[in-house]
Amino acid sequence: MLTKRIIPCLDIKNGRTVKGVNFVNLRDAGDPVELASFYSKNGADELVFLDISATEERRKTLANLVLEIAAKINIPFTVGGGVASIDDVSQLLNNGADKVAINSAAVKKPDLIDKISGKFGSQCLVVAIDAKQIEGEWIVHLIGGKTPTTIKLFDWVKEVEQRGAGEILFTSMDHDGTKNGFANEALSTISRLVNIPVIASGGAGNMQHFEDAFIKGKADAALAASVFHFKEIEISKLKSTLTAAGIAIRN
């Protein structure tokens, strides 16, 4: 059995870590380099860095900040935000990222998934998907969740796997920042439809929510931000609680 992973997420805006609710009302959560270093030393299995306004502001991910963070950590590091080309991926990997996440660019140019996985390997590629329910149907959204598409979530997850994605990072916009738990029903469906790892994102509020994401949602990893940034949950305690519940967790 593959062990489950706990992943803190650094949402970056203007060089600072921020966190909001349902993708809006952002508040400052600290210095990203300090937070990254803290998580690396305190039990995080991986780290995700998302430059959340890069696509909207039509600029590249903060490559220098990536370089700075990579120098401070010794855990796998995924970077996303504004990644739209092979050159973008190459720069981020050269600056210390282990994996690159693409979101809006993947929807606009699906063959970018094929190209990135073909050149760098699927193990380097995470396709991030932001979705919310509209009239009972899960619909993919772009540009930091601001722009709805006509693409159905469950169709899209199958396509990104077929095109070479190594992992899927699914964020439920309806659950993001609410601390009411992950979208376990949707997660379970995604996990059933694909054979690549699925990372749950959006809604962590307590330790039970992580357990539910792994057991009910069948997720391979669970990502959270504010509960870790504001010390509401300690990763070491979370891991020991999950282990006691019979869930195989990385040590």
Side-chain angles (χ1 to χ4, degrees), residues 16 18 92 101 108 138 155 171 174 225 239 244 246:
R16 296 286 292 179
V18 296
L92 293 172
K108 292 173 181 173
W138 282 96
D155 293 338
T171 301
D174 297 319
K239 285 187 161 186

Side-chain angles (χ1 to χ4, degrees), residues 6 206-211 214 222 227-228 233-244 249:
I6 302 298
N206 57 47
M207 295 192 195
Q208 183 65 47
H209 292 155
F210 287 87
E211 184 177 334
F214 293 134
V227 291
F228 296 145
I233 295 177
E234 284 184 29
I235 292 175
S236 58
K237 288 183 181 177
L238 172 60
K239 285 187 161 186
S240 59
T241 300
L242 293 170
T243 299
I249 295 288

Side-chain angles (χ1 to χ4, degrees), residues 3 59 83 222 245:
T3 53
R59 59 173 172 76
V83 179

Side-chain angles (χ1 to χ4, degrees), residues 193-216:
L193 290 172
V194 300
N195 294 308
I196 54 176
V198 178
I199 305 168
S201 169
N206 57 47
M207 295 192 195
Q208 183 65 47
H209 292 155
F210 287 87
E211 184 177 334
D212 290 344
F214 293 134
I215 293 175
K216 296 178 182 176

Side-chain angles (χ1 to χ4, degrees), residues 135-156:
E135 298 179 358
E137 186 83 63
W138 282 96
I139 300 297
V140 175
H141 283 58
L142 304 183
I143 323 227
K146 291 181 171 62
T147 307
T149 68
T150 57
I151 299 169
K152 295 177 180 178
L153 170 65
F154 302 130
D155 293 338
W156 183 230

